[in-house]
Amino acid sequence: MEKKIPELFGSMVFNDDVMRERLPEGVYKSLSKTVASRKPIDPSIADTVAAAMKDWAIEKGATHYTHWFQPLSGMTAEKHDAFISPVGESRVVMEFSGKELVRGESDASSFPSGGLRATFEARGYTAWDPSSYAFVKGQTLYIPTAFCSYTGDALDAKTPLLRSMNAISEQAVRILRLFGDETCDRVDVSIGAEQEYFLIDRERYTHRPDLIFAGHTLFGAPAPKGQELEDHYYGPLKTRVATYMSDLDESLWALGIPAKTKHNEVAPCQHELAPVYTSASIAVDQNLLIMEFMKKIAKKHGLVCLLHEKPFAGVNGSGKHNNWSLTANGKNLLDPGKTPAENAQFLLILAAVIKAVDDYQDLLRISVAYAGNDHRLGANEAPPSIISVFLGEELRGVIDSIVSGTVYHKNNRTMMDLGIPTIPIFRKDTTDRNRTAPVAFTGNKFEFRMPGSSQNLALPNTVLNTAVANSFRVFADEIEAASDRPAAIAKVIRDAFTAHGRILFDGNAYSEEWRAEAARRGLSDLPTSVDAYKTFLAPKNIALFTSFGVMSEVEMRSREEILFENYAKIINIEALTMLTMASRNYVPAIESYLADLALAAQRKRAVIADADCTVETDLIARLSALNTKIYQLIDKLTTAEQNAAITESVRDRAEKYAKVVIPLMNDLRAAVDSAEAITAANHWPFPTYIDLMFRL
């Protein structure tokens, strides 16, 4: 390593240390105040900041700058402009003004808008987000920005997230005031995003059209061995993978991304990276960079990084666990302390989160609803589509005592003694973990385990922030109006735990018994993305977002259309890819093998008239029936896909893809996979699961 890690870390980021060093003291203080208080930037300092940022970036090798934003396509976007400015006919100077830093103009016509503007209304604006540091990548200075239309409507994922952070901060400060904290004027949301992913060999990837076009395998018979032996999880890293991970770490550290944990995940060729917590908007930006660099660096190592939620059927898919907490003046507000039963502030905040999850189950489900994630949720590897909250034994005991009005008797924390003299005795945690829970309290944070591995975390956190802000607002309104505030606080806590106890569940959320119990409790069950999207514009959801100014009703309606449209596009691409592979590759390959079998039988009987051709005739019968079925399913799927594609209403189109097209896709896959299991390997046209998952 050319640089020591402390020197390498953040070396390509225009961070607080760099700003303190390069900006005049007054400018630095003004900008720091803007970031800390989330107040508008003083326009008079923009030119000074831009000049310092430009000089620093040029020293790092930058020749261009870009306003980096998050359109509603689910990816990031960038347009690169050079720093050069002509002087006369033969010279240029390197310039970058405050105006160019603060505001950019982008053609918005080709980005999803959900009807927010007509195609000819192309003008869009990018606006600098000072709360997220600029950085240099390659030869370009990247400036994180928000993105809006000419009319000011948000066309991105970042803008509602930032609005939601302001909303929860304002309401959380009201809560802290109730407990005598008069100094705090800002509460921040902290996020730690665990990222799961698969690595496969690039050469084999290039021979799989489904991986290229859909990001996951649309066909594939199971390998003889999957994850049954649980030998991959936390196992030794293969040399090729370890080298890749080391390269990835260094690249991320240079960008100030605190990549900390890495290990093999459950499925073959599946891995995980986890960073240290940081502010929500920065964490979202950093996670987008993590995904970008995972793909980019994989290519350097002859690998491909698959971020799809379910690249391979029959083994675990990939998620992105969203660890969420609140901090104020450096203190974690979700830390229960040693005596949570006596910590009224913690209990009130806990009650607020529980209420938020219960009140807005549908929105939380929508925030992770994606065609790829439908393959993963509830598949005995990820949380089910039914939302519930796991708290653990200690907190459930506290809540039960509050609801029942009885005294809570704390269980003493036991010590773990493994009976080996050389191994230290250590204190056992007060609660276990529940990996089946969609939302789980894990000591001093909530882990939202439903987001898919490929998804932008902006929307899940926008929903969480706004829903909890609403709980805080309801609680604060009631308590502030009371003459006896301590009594009012106790009543609010008790009432919330009583009213929303149905969302609490500490058992196995994968079980059929829980599904039945959840129905009895009246919990929402939205099994597919299309089912979830239909609830987005429920009056209570519109009221939530509009009341806090997080999204207008117009912005929400645009997003609903984009959700349906994006789902339909994904399934359309997958269906067309399946049809191409099946008709042009699988059917001919099976026919070729059938011809070889028939020829083999013919040759055997040419030598021995009564030769036993049971193998050939049995395989011919079975494969002929399967290939006929495949051929017929191709015809049915073609018709269904065409009918869905021409459906005018985007909502009805998505419905047809979900209810008609996908079942036929599943049938076609099942038939092809059955044929793969009895077709000679030299006749099969594509790399198999054995090739993809085990030959790295």
Side-chain angles (χ1 to χ4, degrees):
M1 189 182 298
E2 293 183 3
K3 292 184 177 180
K4 295 180 180 179
I5 293 174
E7 296 173 356
L8 174 68
F9 189 83
S11 58
M12 304 304 287
V13 183
F14 194 73
N15 55 30
D16 189 72
D17 288 340
V18 176
M19 288 188 284
R20 185 186 294 109
E21 176 186 340
R22 290 178 173 262
L23 295 175
E25 184 178 0
V27 173
Y28 168 74
K29 288 182 177 180
S30 176
L31 182 58
S32 297
K33 184 177 180 181
T34 292
V35 174
S37 63
R38 300 297 200 270
K39 301 297 183 183
I41 189 171
D42 180 354
S44 67
I45 71 170
D47 282 333
T48 303
V49 175
M53 193 181 290
K54 179 258 300 179
D55 291 343
W56 170 84
I58 290 173
E59 291 174 16
K60 297 294 181 181
T63 57
H64 290 66
Y65 70 91
T66 182
H67 276 197
W68 185 61
F69 57 100
Q70 303 169 28
L72 297 174
S73 61
M75 299 177 287
T76 58
E78 53 198 62
K79 180 188 72 171
H80 300 244
D81 289 297
F83 287 123
I84 64 169
S85 181
V87 178
E89 296 182 358
S90 58
R91 289 194 314 113
V92 296
V93 294
M94 305 291 271
E95 290 185 340
F96 183 52
S97 68
K99 180 180 179 181
E100 291 169 318
L101 167 63
V102 172
R103 194 202 80 172
E105 184 177 330
S106 176
D107 186 339
S109 60
S110 294
F111 291 112
S113 72
L116 278 176
R117 44 135 193 84
T119 302
F120 64 85
E121 295 171 333
R123 194 185 299 274
Y125 294 114
T126 51
W128 176 36
D129 171 20
S131 67
S132 192
Y133 297 131
F135 56 92
V136 169
K137 180 163 68 79
Q139 293 182 300
T140 301
L141 170 67
Y142 282 72
I143 303 163
T145 59
F147 180 49
C148 67
S149 69
Y150 183 72
T151 56
D153 295 310
L155 291 173
D156 66 340
K158 177 185 274 278
T159 299
L161 174 63
L162 293 173
R163 292 170 178 169
S164 74
M165 292 173 67
N166 286 333
I168 195 171
S169 176
E170 290 175 3
Q171 300 305 318
V173 167
R174 292 179 65 192
I175 296 297
L176 295 182
R177 293 285 188 271
L178 297 173
F179 292 91
D181 188 341
E182 300 295 335
T183 63
C184 179
D185 57 7
R186 177 78 192 176
V187 174
D188 199 18
V189 180
S190 293
I191 298 298
E194 304 168 24
Q195 178 71 53
E196 295 175 341
Y197 62 101
F198 282 78
L199 289 175
I200 63 172
D201 182 78
R202 175 165 289 276
E203 175 61 25
R204 295 186 178 94
Y205 164 87
T206 61
H207 294 288
R208 290 287 308 217
D210 47 0
L211 286 175
I212 293 172
F213 294 118
H216 70 124
T217 53
L218 300 171
F219 300 98
K225 173 181 179 291
Q227 61 195 50
E228 301 89 346
L229 295 179
E230 298 158 338
D231 54 340
H232 190 261
Y233 191 48
Y234 279 29
L237 300 175
K238 293 181 179 179
T239 301
R240 193 176 182 188
V241 172
T243 303
Y244 161 82
M245 288 181 169
S246 178
D247 195 357
L248 176 62
D249 279 340
E250 290 187 31
S251 298
L252 296 178
W253 290 338
L255 290 172
I257 299 173
K260 185 173 181 65
T261 303
K262 56 186 178 184
H263 60 82
N264 288 343
E265 255 299 333
V266 174
C269 69
Q270 186 187 29
H271 313 281
E272 180 178 301
L273 180 151
V276 178
Y277 289 75
T278 190
S279 179
S281 62
I282 296 176
V284 168
D285 286 355
Q286 290 183 345
N287 182 255
L288 292 168
L289 285 170
I290 286 171
M291 292 192 289
E292 177 188 335
F293 272 80
M294 281 179 167
K295 293 179 179 179
K296 179 180 178 181
I297 292 172
K299 190 173 183 179
K300 289 171 54 180
H301 292 266
L303 301 169
V304 170
C305 174
L306 301 177
L307 291 172
H308 191 278
E309 287 72 19
K310 193 76 169 179
F312 303 104
V315 298
N316 277 16
S318 295
K320 182 152 35 200
H321 302 166
N322 186 88
N323 294 284
W324 182 94
S325 63
L326 297 172
T327 60
N329 294 330
K331 179 182 178 182
N332 184 349
L333 299 181
L334 284 174
D335 185 348
K338 295 181 179 180
T339 54
E342 301 168 14
N343 189 340
Q345 178 177 294
F346 166 75
L347 291 172
L348 187 66
I349 294 172
L350 179 68
V353 176
I354 291 170
K355 171 180 166 59
V357 174
D358 189 21
D359 287 344
Y360 297 100
Q361 302 165 51
D362 53 350
L363 278 180
L364 286 170
R365 175 67 181 92
I366 290 165
S367 76
V368 300
Y370 183 70
N373 215 17
D374 281 358
H375 294 281
R376 167 182 165 263
L377 291 178
N380 282 341
E381 60 181 89
S385 55
I386 302 171
I387 306 288
S388 64
V389 177
F390 167 81
L391 294 179
E393 183 179 350
E394 182 179 23
L395 287 182
R396 279 304 299 267
V398 172
I399 289 175
D400 289 345
S401 70
I402 291 172
V403 171
S404 63
T406 58
V407 177
Y408 171 69
H409 297 287
K410 180 180 179 180
N411 293 325
N412 293 325
R413 292 180 65 182
T414 59
M415 304 301 291
M416 293 290 287
D417 184 353
L418 300 183
I420 304 171
T422 56
I423 294 181
I425 297 173
F426 57 90
R427 192 175 297 278
K428 179 181 175 181
D429 287 323
T430 57
T431 184
D432 199 353
R433 290 187 176 185
N434 186 329
R435 308 305 291 174
T436 72
V439 182
F441 186 77
T442 55
N444 60 4
K445 64 187 185 302
F446 278 94
E447 183 182 26
F448 185 32
R449 301 186 66 249
M450 296 181 76
S453 52
S454 69
Q455 294 180 271
N456 186 332
L457 283 175
L459 182 57
N461 286 292
T462 297
V463 171
L464 270 171
N465 296 346
T466 314
V468 175
N470 183 67
S471 296
F472 285 158
R473 179 172 60 184
V474 171
F475 290 177
D477 285 348
E478 181 175 344
I479 297 167
E480 288 170 353
S483 56
D484 185 345
R485 287 191 174 180
I489 290 172
K491 179 179 182 302
V492 164
I493 293 171
R494 183 176 61 253
D495 289 350
F497 287 149
T498 302
H500 301 286
R502 66 172 186 167
I503 203 73
L504 302 178
F505 180 66
D506 289 356
N508 180 8
Y510 293 158
S511 68
E512 285 302 316
E513 290 80 7
W514 165 238
R515 186 171 293 276
E517 172 62 22
R520 285 193 292 271
R521 295 186 185 189
L523 299 182
S524 173
D525 186 2
L526 303 168
T528 73
S529 292
V530 172
D531 295 323
Y533 298 156
K534 292 176 183 177
T535 70
F536 188 51
L537 295 180
K540 72 178 183 64
N541 296 338
I542 294 175
L544 174 71
F545 285 125
T546 56
S547 67
F548 285 104
V550 170
M551 280 189 276
S552 67
E553 184 172 344
V554 170
E555 289 170 335
M556 289 185 67
R557 292 190 179 280
S558 75
R559 279 155 177 78
E560 185 213 39
E561 182 171 332
I562 290 169
L563 289 170
F564 281 118
E565 185 176 39
N566 188 53
Y567 180 92
K569 286 179 178 178
I570 289 172
I571 306 304
N572 167 256
I573 291 169
E574 292 185 355
L576 292 177
T577 302
M578 289 190 82
L579 289 168
T580 299
M581 293 175 71
S583 60
R584 297 187 61 185
N585 299 101
Y586 289 126
V587 168
I590 296 168
E591 284 296 307
S592 175
Y593 184 45
L594 286 169
D596 278 4
L597 288 170
L599 182 60
Q602 183 181 19
R603 286 174 174 171
K604 285 171 73 172
R605 285 178 175 157
V607 176
I608 303 173
D610 59 348
D612 187 349
C613 295
T614 302
V615 172
E616 291 86 355
T617 55
D618 185 57
L619 283 172
I620 287 172
R622 293 166 64 190
L623 278 170
S624 292
L626 281 170
N627 219 21
T628 298
K629 185 176 183 179
I630 292 167
Y631 185 77
Q632 292 170 343
L633 284 168
I634 288 172
D635 187 55
K636 290 180 180 179
L637 179 57
T638 299
T639 301
E641 196 287 320
Q642 289 174 346
N643 288 337
I646 62 174
T647 302
E648 185 173 350
S649 163
V650 68
R651 184 174 178 146
D652 293 342
R653 192 184 318 144
E655 182 85 18
K656 285 186 177 181
Y657 276 114
K659 306 300 183 184
V660 181
V661 174
I662 286 180
L664 288 170
M665 291 169 64
N666 293 338
D667 290 344
L668 178 56
R669 173 175 188 148
V672 171
D673 290 356
S674 295
E676 179 186 343
I678 56 174
T679 300
N682 63 321
H683 279 270
W684 205 245
F686 301 114
T688 66
Y689 272 23
I690 295 174
D691 300 320
L692 294 169
M693 289 196 291
F694 294 96
R695 292 175 178 164
L696 188 61

